[in-house]
Amino acid sequence: MDAVSLKPEPQPQMPPQAILTQMAMGFIVSQAISVAAKLYIADHLKDGGKTVSELAELTGAHEPSLYRLLRALTSVGVFRRDADGRYRNSTLSEFLRSDHPESVRAAAHMICDREHWQAHGNMLESVRTGVTAFDYTFGKPIFQYYAENPEPAKIFDDAMTGFSRGISGAVASTYDFSEAKIIADIAGGHGFLLATVLKSNPAAKGILFDQPQVIAGADEVLAAEGVAGRVEKVSGDFFVSIPVEADIYLLKFILHDWNDAQSVAILGNLAKSAKPGAKVLLVESVVEEDDSVPSMSKIMDLNMLAMTSGKERTAKEYADLFEKTGFKLTRVIQTPSPMQIVEAVRV
């Protein structure tokens, strides 16, 4: 009897048109992940595998339809299916658990909610005219919309905290904050990034600056992280003034929300409070100069095109903003995450 070869047969390479079609249908996977997040499926699987029937009962979902969702997500690695038909969390879906320290559940929820979904559906309007698709779709800028709609605003704030959980440790471990006595987080949301940095630098104190309705939700996070007694909360509008004096100013995912004129206004107000030698650290996704290099920054830039008046920027574009406002770019630091730290000093 001939020996049986165990060498796997080569898989046929997908033709270009099939690859392009698969890419074009990526929005279906996005929506499926979002549905799984909204149903808290990963939470229901944290203690072990469950059948579709059990998950349908726990989530109140239509069992045959839930099976089709789980089958599709299992095929792309989001969940796993045992030989006995029970579904389990995979390495990916662990991060959809709401209790995971670096959970992205809220972000997956938000990304396919009507605000993002409908605005991105009108991206053609942005490309044709330069008008922000969100403004075109909802009749007002996104942050005005959130200020008037507390329910989606809470989802947005939770998503931003989730994003912070994923990169805060990387920022705190990459940058040397040891000489800073006061660290301010400008538009810092619920303060998770600031809390993470303060925990790594026990001699420093913090200032959390954001709009009043945002600051109001920070107490729970600051208390849970054990830094509430070291953080002063200051509310305000960074387009009016930033009455905060610190050694280091953190701005995470802030300038990418705004166009150049608005970013200059924010940095200009910061410069009025910052003493010479004070440092500004932008935590952003810096765009590579080479257009052919694949990166999250270029995809996030399309999100900014659809959702805000802002954009992702190259290091040179950040340097130009700093020069106009009394700062000087000193370096761009890669973190063990998709984000970079853009450092500038007040001259």
Side-chain angles (χ1 to χ4, degrees):
M1 183 176 180
D2 294 336
V4 177
S5 174
L6 299 179
K7 183 178 179 181
E9 294 188 11
Q11 296 296 314
Q13 186 175 2
M14 290 179 64
Q17 64 270 33
I19 295 173
L20 186 61
T21 301
Q22 187 177 62
M23 293 171 66
M25 296 178 71
F27 75 96
I28 300 175
V29 177
S30 301
Q31 189 64 259
I33 293 172
S34 185
V35 170
K38 292 169 183 174
L39 292 175
Y40 290 87
I41 291 174
D43 285 51
H44 292 305
L45 296 177
K46 69 179 181 179
D47 295 324
K50 288 183 171 57
T51 65
V52 176
S53 178
E54 291 170 330
L55 288 171
E57 184 175 354
L58 288 167
T59 61
H62 178 243
E63 184 176 334
S65 300
L66 180 61
Y67 165 67
R68 293 164 70 179
L69 179 84
L70 291 168
R71 178 176 61 182
L73 289 176
T74 298
S75 76
V76 295
V78 177
F79 294 106
R80 295 186 296 114
R81 186 172 185 262
D82 292 343
D84 63 0
R86 291 179 177 273
Y87 286 91
R88 297 182 183 274
N89 279 330
S90 70
T91 303
L92 296 180
S93 64
E94 283 291 324
F95 291 89
L96 285 178
R97 286 171 45 186
S98 59
D99 61 348
H100 193 287
E102 296 183 13
S103 173
V104 298
R105 196 209 68 81
H109 183 309
M110 176 197 72
I111 286 170
C112 289
D113 275 354
R114 65 186 294 267
E115 289 78 19
H116 278 73
W117 195 254
Q118 293 180 20
H120 277 272
N122 285 321
M123 186 183 292
L124 177 60
E125 189 68 23
S126 292
V127 174
R128 278 178 169 169
T129 69
V131 171
T132 303
F134 186 94
D135 299 17
Y136 173 81
T137 305
F138 292 97
K140 62 189 67 176
I142 184 170
F143 294 111
Q144 180 184 342
Y145 174 91
Y146 281 140
E148 297 171 359
N149 294 273
E151 185 174 342
K154 184 182 185 307
I155 295 170
F156 174 81
D157 289 339
D158 289 345
M160 293 303 102
T161 298
F163 281 132
S164 290
R165 291 183 187 279
I167 67 166
S168 293
V171 172
S173 63
T174 299
Y175 194 84
D176 182 5
F177 291 90
S178 60
E179 295 185 4
K181 295 181 180 178
I182 301 177
I183 302 167
D185 196 352
I186 306 303
H190 291 167
F192 188 82
L193 172 60
L194 179 61
T196 303
V197 171
L198 290 178
K199 286 196 296 183
S200 299
N201 297 272
K205 293 184 178 180
I207 300 174
L208 182 63
F209 177 87
D210 212 315
Q211 298 178 80
Q213 72 273 15
V214 178
I215 287 283
D219 290 342
E220 183 177 347
V221 171
L222 298 176
E225 297 302 316
V227 299
R230 296 162 55 199
V231 176
E232 176 188 359
K233 296 188 299 178
V234 178
S235 63
D237 180 347
F238 54 31
F239 286 119
V240 177
S241 68
I242 305 175
V244 173
E245 188 175 310
D247 302 302
I248 293 177
Y249 297 89
L250 296 168
L251 289 89
K252 176 185 65 67
F253 304 157
I254 303 304
L255 294 192
H256 78 161
D257 286 331
W258 307 101
N259 62 34
D260 287 352
Q262 292 166 323
S263 295
V264 166
I266 294 168
L267 290 175
N269 284 331
L270 192 62
K272 294 174 184 177
S273 296
K275 290 184 177 181
K279 294 178 179 178
V280 172
L281 307 181
L282 308 180
V283 180
E284 297 280 7
S285 182
V286 180
V287 180
E288 301 84 352
E289 297 286 355
D290 184 350
D291 287 353
S292 66
V293 175
S295 69
M296 179 184 291
S297 64
K298 298 180 180 74
I299 304 302
M300 280 297 296
D301 185 52
L302 289 181
N303 187 47
M304 295 300 104
L305 175 66
M307 300 299 293
T308 75
S309 63
K311 61 181 180 179
E312 306 297 340
R313 295 177 172 89
T314 64
K316 183 181 182 304
E317 289 173 320
Y318 280 119
D320 291 343
L321 291 180
F322 285 131
E323 281 189 18
K324 294 175 181 177
T325 53
F327 294 96
K328 181 179 180 181
L329 187 146
T330 48
R331 53 181 173 155
V332 176
I333 308 165
Q334 181 61 56
T335 72
S337 79
M339 301 296 111
Q340 292 80 42
I341 299 171
V342 183
E343 180 194 68
V345 63
R346 179 72 167 98
V347 295

